[in-house]
Amino acid sequence: MIEHLTQAHDRVLELDLPQNPDSIAILSGGIKKHIREEGEMYLPTSYKDGLGGKGRIIAASKLAEVFPNSPLLTLSHVDPDVPSQAEIYHQELVRQGIDTSRIIKDPDAYNTFSELVAIQRQAQLNAWKNVIVVTNNYHLPRTSYMLEHFEDLARKFQLAEPLQPHMQALHLVGAEDILSA
């Protein structure tokens, strides 16, 4: 078991990621209502649902094992009539064995760009210099584009305080790359 964990740790470290990230942020891949015997509950989306939120959770959990001192950041709240993605992802991380004290919930975001703003805000508040941002491979080009054009988008969305100085601290990674490591 220890050898397996060491090999998984080494494979994750072969990815182009910082060696000591200050945080691991998980972009929301959505949630979906499920009806169970115990009642209705919301869970991260699967790949079958088209968004792969569950894969992001599992990948972030794997990173949390490799980087045990890094807090995890969950984001988003799209629909006021259902629990926030930040809360649902927090619950799923706890189910994966992550201590709740390591998880920071930031439910103020509502789309990818506002999630990037929230990550930058948290980076400033917590003096994080290196943040790994977990999404899915299909989502990497769109997210990269937003980072490259962050200043223009911030103006377009009329952000009060552009957060450009910390942008170099974000390291995007696809959940699939982590899971296959």
Side-chain angles (χ1 to χ4, degrees), residues 21 33 88 94 129 142 168-169:
K33 181 169 52 173
I88 299 302
V94 170
K129 297 197 183 317
R142 179 173 182 258
Q168 70 277 6

Side-chain angles (χ1 to χ4, degrees), residues 11-84:
R11 287 191 304 271
V12 167
L13 290 177
E14 290 173 5
L15 298 172
D16 188 22
L17 298 173
Q19 296 301 304
N20 294 303
D22 296 307
S23 180
I24 301 162
I26 309 154
L27 296 184
S28 174
I31 57 175
K32 184 177 178 181
K33 181 169 52 173
H34 295 265
I35 307 298
R36 303 263 168 96
E37 284 182 19
E38 58 273 10
E40 75 178 31
M41 65 188 309
Y42 289 85
L43 296 170
T45 57
S46 67
Y47 288 105
K48 187 170 54 174
D49 300 319
L51 295 173
K54 183 71 174 177
R56 297 177 193 191
I57 294 294
I58 296 168
S61 298
K62 188 172 181 177
L63 287 174
E65 289 176 11
V66 175
F67 305 113
N69 297 321
S70 299
L72 290 95
L73 177 62
T74 62
L75 301 152
S76 281
H77 193 187
V78 176
D79 184 346
D81 296 327
V82 300
S84 71

Side-chain angles (χ1 to χ4, degrees), residues 1 3 19 27 31 45 50 60 72 89 95 136 145 151-152 154 158 172-173:
M1 177 70 166
E3 183 177 330
Q19 296 301 304
L27 296 184
I31 57 175
T45 57
L72 290 95
Y89 282 37
R95 282 190 195 101
N136 294 99
Y145 179 89
E151 203 170 308
D152 294 334
Q158 300 175 343
L172 297 177
V173 63

Side-chain angles (χ1 to χ4, degrees), residues 23-26 57 60-61 64 68-75 85-106 122 126 128:
S23 180
I24 301 162
I26 309 154
I57 294 294
S61 298
N69 297 321
S70 299
L72 290 95
L73 177 62
T74 62
L75 301 152
Q85 287 93 322
E87 177 60 34
I88 299 302
Y89 282 37
H90 173 270
Q91 293 170 9
E92 287 298 306
L93 288 167
V94 170
R95 282 190 195 101
Q96 293 285 325
I98 306 302
D99 188 294
T100 191
S101 67
R102 288 184 65 191
I103 305 168
I104 300 168
K105 293 181 280 189
D106 190 330
Q122 288 291 336
N126 294 291
W128 295 337

